[in-house]
Amino acid sequence: MTQDDAQNIGDKIVEKLKTIFDPEIPVDIYELGLIYDVMVSEDNDVKILMTLTSPNCPVAETLPVEVEEKVKTLEEVRDAEVEITFDPTWTQEMMSEEAKLELGFL
């Protein structure tokens, strides 16, 4: 897999992540800054390191599954796994400018 291929798959994964919304905030999980890292292996296995807005997030059980399922729908992706971390803890500072604007923080 070339660097371009990896970048292309990465871009498609990001586009897919932008279709998933936090149920409490009308902004997608990517713009919210919940996605910390996306790794694509030589075999096109994808690992996503993400966080939640809080450990008691009402979608703590379902959101990671939704992320895995949506990313797996990409034909280039062989498998997807989501790892949840709270290190570093999510803060509003991690939101994109677009998300801050959408939510009236700017």
Side-chain angles (χ1 to χ4, degrees), residues 48-52 60 63-64 82-86:
I48 298 170
L49 185 63
M50 68 176 287
T51 194
L52 302 169
L63 191 60
V82 170
E83 182 180 331
I84 298 291
T85 184
F86 291 101

Side-chain angles (χ1 to χ4, degrees), residues 21 30 64 66 71:
F21 288 78
Y30 188 82
E66 181 182 357
V71 170

Side-chain angles (χ1 to χ4, degrees), residues 8-104:
N8 196 10
I9 293 171
D11 290 345
K12 288 183 177 185
I13 291 168
V14 168
E15 287 306 309
K16 194 60 80 172
L17 294 173
K18 287 184 174 190
T19 68
I20 304 169
F21 288 78
D22 185 294
E24 298 178 319
I25 308 170
V27 175
D28 71 76
I29 62 172
Y30 188 82
E31 296 296 339
L32 272 178
L34 298 181
I35 305 298
Y36 287 170
D37 201 0
V38 175
M39 297 153 275
V40 181
S41 76
E42 290 289 319
D43 299 328
N44 288 6
D45 289 330
V46 175
K47 183 168 184 183
I48 298 170
L49 185 63
M50 68 176 287
T51 194
L52 302 169
T53 51
S54 82
N56 324 348
C57 183
V59 292
E61 298 298 315
T62 57
L63 191 60
V65 173
E66 181 182 357
V67 170
E68 284 178 1
E69 294 303 319
K70 285 211 173 171
V71 170
K72 283 181 192 175
T73 64
L74 293 168
E75 64 184 58
E76 297 88 344
V77 172
R78 192 177 75 148
D79 197 17
E81 175 192 351
V82 170
E83 182 180 331
I84 298 291
T85 184
F86 291 101
D87 182 27
T89 303
W90 182 85
T91 66
Q92 291 180 356
E93 293 303 307
M94 295 174 170
M95 290 191 289
S96 70
E97 296 292 310
E98 185 180 312
K100 289 176 184 172
L101 192 63
E102 178 82 25
L103 297 173

